[in-house]
Amino acid sequence: MATSISTTGTTIIATFLLHLLLVPYSVAQKLYQNVPSKSDVDLLEFPLNLEYLEAEFFLWGSLGRGLDCVAPNLTMGGPPPIGVKVAKLDPLTRDVIAQFAYQEVGHLRAIKNAVPGFARPLLNLSAASFATVMNNAFGRPLVPPFDPYANELNYLLASYVIPYVGLTGYVGANPKLESATAKKLVAGLLGVESGQDAVLRALLYERAKKKVMPYGITVAEFTNRISELRNKLGHAGLKDEGLIVPPVRGAEGRIKGNVLAGDRFSLAFGRTPEEILRIVYGSGDERVPGGFFPKGADGRIAKSHLKDA
């Protein structure tokens, strides 16, 4: 009897001690899963480059002022953008773009609440910068040079150039993230960025057959050329589509209208940071800055390529 009691007591004590050891481990493991890893931090910081660009373009375009007035603490002392200004917009477009602008401010706050972040990089949002994109898209200089701030249609076309690149980056980053915290943040960012792109595409799709003056080129052709340029610069195949496509490339291979871009299963395309840098630099090379980022993008990923140049 004494031996039985002793054995039972030993078993209870051993079980209790094992429980004490396992519970802290499981708690620590759960905490670890919610803390962004070094890789997660890099992947979360990289999109700040695009978020800064979108915030400044949308704020200035709709309100005539940027982050230095609206949320100066978020710039962390980074240089003011080059050439950006208020656009000539109708009331509806101005309202929509102003909403986008404040959403981008929220995105900057959300990312910086999760990772250290970096100061606003030098951005070139001048009319000349966008004119260069359009010239490259058509393979010839447009006369007169394209001015994104001249009217709402031009501004919507210029806006077509930006958010979609960012959302493909979030799609590409998602499967590489390790922590639940990072995945939740990117899912939230992707949801709103996708919504912005959908609104822009819908507004342009409504005008798809309208000719952009004074060029005599339809809105649909502008979007197709811009998408083709991004595919070319990205060096990663078809990841971009305009508003009107051959039916075989439309949803289920049955329709030419393409208000939302997607692969053969109508899933969003994903891009790597390197592909994005090639596009926003306008150089087709992640090691050669230019375009919207005259001195290059910031963050460890972007800087690692600049060192290779």
Side-chain angles (χ1 to χ4, degrees):
M1 175 69 76
T3 302
S4 176
I5 292 174
S6 176
T7 301
T8 301
T10 301
T11 301
I12 292 173
I13 292 171
T15 302
F16 176 72
L17 291 173
L18 181 61
H19 180 72
L20 288 177
L21 290 172
L22 289 176
V23 169
Y25 173 77
S26 64
V27 172
Q29 187 179 40
K30 187 173 293 185
L31 288 172
Y32 173 77
Q33 291 172 344
N34 288 327
V35 175
S37 64
K38 182 179 179 181
S39 173
D40 282 358
V41 170
D42 290 341
L43 289 170
L44 290 176
E45 282 193 330
F46 179 77
L48 281 173
N49 291 293
L50 277 296
E51 298 291 356
Y52 274 125
L53 189 155
E54 293 173 37
E56 292 291 7
F57 185 60
F58 291 147
L59 282 170
W60 275 98
S62 62
L63 305 176
R65 58 185 184 273
L67 286 171
D68 288 316
C69 291
V70 175
N73 60 308
L74 293 178
T75 70
M76 298 173 65
I82 299 169
V84 66
K85 61 182 181 180
V86 66
K88 296 178 182 178
L89 306 176
D90 62 80
L92 173 62
T93 305
R94 188 175 304 281
D95 179 40
V96 169
I97 299 302
Q99 292 179 49
F100 287 0
Y102 286 120
Q103 289 164 6
E104 297 305 332
V105 174
H107 290 178
L108 288 169
R109 293 189 196 281
I111 295 174
K112 291 189 176 192
N113 283 339
V115 295
F118 48 77
R120 174 183 57 196
L122 181 64
L123 301 168
N124 184 354
L125 294 170
S126 65
S129 183
F130 283 94
T132 298
V133 172
M134 298 306 182
N135 291 345
N136 291 337
F138 284 94
R140 60 180 173 82
L142 295 184
V143 181
F146 181 87
D147 182 357
Y149 304 106
N151 54 64
E152 61 268 8
L153 185 55
N154 281 20
Y155 192 84
L156 288 172
L157 286 168
S159 298
Y160 179 88
V161 173
I162 301 173
Y164 181 73
V165 178
L167 83 84
T168 58
Y170 286 131
V171 174
N174 189 54
K176 300 176 184 177
L177 296 170
E178 299 173 0
S179 71
T181 299
K183 291 176 181 178
K184 180 180 180 181
L185 175 57
V186 166
L189 292 165
L190 176 58
V192 175
E193 291 289 333
S194 298
Q196 290 179 357
D197 182 64
V199 170
L200 289 170
R201 291 180 73 100
L203 289 172
L204 289 169
Y205 189 74
E206 185 180 21
R207 302 165 170 84
K209 295 181 181 180
K210 183 176 181 178
K211 290 187 177 180
V212 182
M213 301 308 293
Y215 312 111
I217 302 170
T218 65
V219 166
E221 184 63 13
F222 260 90
T223 64
N224 290 340
R225 293 298 187 102
I226 293 168
S227 289
E228 288 169 5
L229 175 64
R230 291 191 295 214
N231 284 328
K232 177 182 176 182
L233 292 173
H235 298 302
L238 178 65
K239 295 190 176 182
D240 218 305
E241 295 175 331
L243 296 174
I244 305 293
V245 297
V248 69
R249 278 172 47 194
E252 289 295 292
R254 296 183 179 187
I255 193 165
K256 64 180 182 178
N258 199 42
V259 70
L260 294 180
D263 65 12
R264 66 192 183 99
F265 298 114
S266 292
L267 300 178
F269 294 104
R271 283 190 170 109
T272 65
E274 290 73 23
E275 291 170 51
I276 291 172
L277 291 173
R278 294 168 198 156
I279 293 168
V280 297
Y281 287 173
S283 64
D285 189 336
E286 63 270 29
R287 300 168 299 174
V288 182
F292 296 119
F293 294 86
K295 294 186 178 180
D298 209 336
R300 195 197 67 79
I301 293 176
K303 284 185 173 180
S304 70
H305 295 297
L306 292 178
K307 291 179 181 178
D308 295 336

